[in-house]
Amino acid sequence: MTTLRDLLELVRAPAALSVPGDVVAGAAAAGVLGRRTAGLACSSVCLYWAGMAANDWADRHLDARERPERPIPSGRVTANAALGTAVGLTLAGVAVAGLAGGRRALAVAAPLAAAIWAYDVLAKGTAAGPPVMALCRGLDVLLGASPGSRVAAALPSAATIAAHTYLLTALSHGEVSGTSPSVPAATLAGTVALTAATVRGSANGTQPALAGWYAAQFGLPQAQAVADPSPGHVREAVSAGIVSLPALQGALTARGGAPRLALLLAAAAPLARRLVKKIAAT
């Protein structure tokens, strides 16, 4: 029998703590923070969980060889149940976006859902994988900005989150077999550059503090992976990249003029770090 824990593992439940901050950062940049933001954050979480379930469904044969402990190859969740979960969460995510943000939100949520499925079914494991995944996260930021008329104001924040996601996805290719030291070295250099760009023109102390915290959380495991690019160290760096994202989102939210909300977002990082010890984020 499939248990609740099996489903939580299927969708990588703790990793969803890294998702609402996309919407909040986009809304802050566009000046539309409000009640609709909470609804769009719920939509974002549904779409993220849908992507995780679709990922495991698409990878079920590969996981049978490389990760037999995962829910589908271990027999704890059937392939049909995983596919049904992915489809159901996708429909729920798009519907909630429409209810919360209207047609403008639907105009972003629909291509976001399509990009998520395109990554899982077509792009993953190819050269197109990192840019498609980056597109998903960038659209997620724009989802937060979608209810207003200043969506373009959120483009810098969307580009920042997309760049982080590109680095993370490129690094994740070494989770199973390891990689060469040059890969984590390159992503570490990208993380440093991204942090520098995020703190540029800061208007308050919260922004650089959170950006620095993000760099420390994600940078140290990457440095360890440079010294030893074995699968274990790469997985630790990827997990760190996921759970440190709220700090980066917080820095962007502070740049958008909401430093208190930025700190609240960043508080999800230590919580996520504890939860991924119980249910893996990768």
Side-chain angles (χ1 to χ4, degrees):
M1 291 291 293
T2 299
T3 66
L4 176 60
R5 181 182 175 84
D6 296 330
L7 292 175
L8 293 176
E9 187 177 340
L10 176 74
V11 300
R12 320 287 203 280
L17 288 172
S18 73
V19 179
D22 288 346
V23 170
V24 172
V32 292
L33 277 171
R35 286 180 295 180
R36 289 178 295 187
T37 306
L40 293 173
C42 290
S43 167
S44 177
V45 169
C46 286
L47 292 173
Y48 184 89
W49 280 343
M52 293 296 101
N55 173 83
D56 274 21
W57 175 79
D59 280 358
R60 62 194 185 280
H61 301 301
L62 180 63
D63 284 345
R65 298 192 304 272
E66 297 182 345
R67 295 186 177 186
E69 74 282 358
R70 295 293 303 150
I72 297 176
S74 67
R76 290 178 287 130
V77 177
T78 67
N80 286 340
L83 179 59
T85 299
V87 172
L89 285 169
T90 300
L91 295 175
V94 173
V96 171
L99 291 172
R103 292 182 179 179
R104 287 178 174 174
L106 277 176
V108 179
L112 171 56
I116 289 170
W117 278 89
Y119 174 81
D120 286 330
V121 177
L122 299 172
K124 185 174 50 183
T126 73
V132 173
M133 181 56 76
L135 173 64
C136 292
R137 279 289 192 167
L139 286 172
D140 202 32
V141 175
L142 296 182
L143 180 63
S146 63
S149 59
R150 298 178 58 245
V151 176
L155 287 174
S157 293
T160 299
I161 298 298
H164 166 84
T165 305
Y166 184 96
L167 298 174
L168 187 60
T169 307
L171 184 62
S172 71
H173 288 171
E175 284 187 288
V176 175
S177 302
T179 188
S180 68
S182 62
V183 173
T187 61
L188 177 58
T191 301
V192 172
L194 193 58
T195 303
T198 301
V199 301
R200 187 178 298 124
S202 58
N204 55 70
T206 304
Q207 183 180 335
L210 292 181
W213 187 30
Y214 153 76
Q217 290 182 94
F218 189 24
L220 181 58
Q222 288 180 92
Q224 293 171 338
V226 173
D228 178 8
S230 61
H233 280 101
V234 172
R235 283 195 295 270
E236 288 176 5
V238 171
S239 181
I242 294 172
V243 301
S244 66
L245 186 52
L248 178 60
Q249 294 161 336
L252 295 173
T253 300
R255 187 169 70 187
R260 293 182 180 178
L261 184 55
L263 292 173
L264 183 61
L265 280 179
L271 175 59
R273 191 178 299 108
R274 287 195 294 270
L275 289 177
V276 297
K277 294 179 180 178
K278 301 180 181 295
I279 299 177
T282 65

